[in-house]
Amino acid sequence: MLKHILLPLDGSELAEKSLEYVDKLAEKGAEITLLMAVDPPEALAYSLYGSQIVTAGPIIEQPLLDYKIISENMLEQAKAYLATKAEALQKAGYVVTTRIDYGYAADLIVETSEKEGIDAIVICTHGRSGFSRWILGSVTQKILSAAVCPVFVIPPDHKQDE
């Protein structure tokens, strides 16, 4: 049985499927690290006329303070979300650590697994293929190619009973 598992979560029901596998993979009292990568949805661009928030659509004039508020709100929502997931795992007898970092999910997952001495990463994949995978990339594929520990990948339509 594993003693330290990394569970990357993104707030989706699909990602939460990985929580169902903790009892099968970890011994009671094992350490579970819940990681959430926070990536503000818009990039800040500076211009001669102040800051602007660049989106997929037209440029929106916003003061810098709005961008900071957006980032802080995302961080607070992530903390609250992970706290609820951590509480359930703690009640089940696990030692839970939560981490929230800014950055690209695949990089943060691999870095955290290396720094924290993780025994295994348990992740659900969105199952994208073709054009959407090419455009959006595959976080899971990047983790599989860079991780220094085993990675358990749960497909999107997998049922635990099977």
Side-chain angles (χ1 to χ4, degrees):
M1 300 293 276
L2 301 169
K3 295 181 182 187
H4 194 175
I5 296 176
L6 175 63
L7 297 174
L9 298 174
D10 63 7
S12 70
E13 286 183 29
L14 179 61
E16 290 175 15
K17 293 287 183 192
S18 63
L19 296 167
E20 298 172 11
Y21 291 84
V22 171
D23 286 334
K24 292 184 175 197
L25 298 170
E27 57 191 42
K28 290 295 180 199
E31 186 173 355
I32 308 296
T33 298
L34 302 178
L35 173 67
M36 183 172 241
V38 176
D39 193 13
E42 300 148 340
L44 190 62
Y46 295 96
S47 72
L48 213 56
Y49 305 103
S51 65
Q52 301 170 332
I53 294 181
V54 180
T55 63
I59 293 175
I60 303 168
E61 295 288 337
Q62 296 280 341
L64 182 58
L65 182 60
D66 286 351
Y67 183 79
K68 185 176 179 183
I69 290 170
I70 290 168
S71 295
E72 288 172 356
N73 286 341
M74 289 178 71
L75 188 61
E76 289 304 313
Q77 289 173 8
K79 284 179 186 177
Y81 169 75
L82 288 183
T84 61
K85 302 306 170 193
E87 183 179 1
L89 288 168
Q90 288 166 338
K91 285 181 181 176
Y94 299 102
V95 176
V96 182
T97 304
T98 60
R99 289 190 56 151
I100 302 167
D101 288 317
Y102 284 101
Y104 183 64
D107 294 338
L108 291 174
I109 292 165
V110 171
E111 288 170 16
T112 301
S113 68
E114 291 173 358
K115 288 179 187 174
E116 301 294 324
I118 300 294
D119 293 329
I121 300 166
V122 180
I123 189 168
C124 292
T125 181
H126 288 278
R128 291 186 185 103
S129 63
F131 186 72
S132 65
R133 182 174 177 185
W134 180 71
I135 292 294
L136 300 173
S138 170
V139 170
T140 303
Q141 187 61 43
K142 290 172 184 166
I143 293 167
L144 284 169
S145 65
V148 296
C149 64
V151 180
F152 292 88
V153 179
I154 303 159
D157 57 353
H158 184 71
K159 294 183 176 119
Q160 190 174 4
D161 297 338
E162 293 177 357

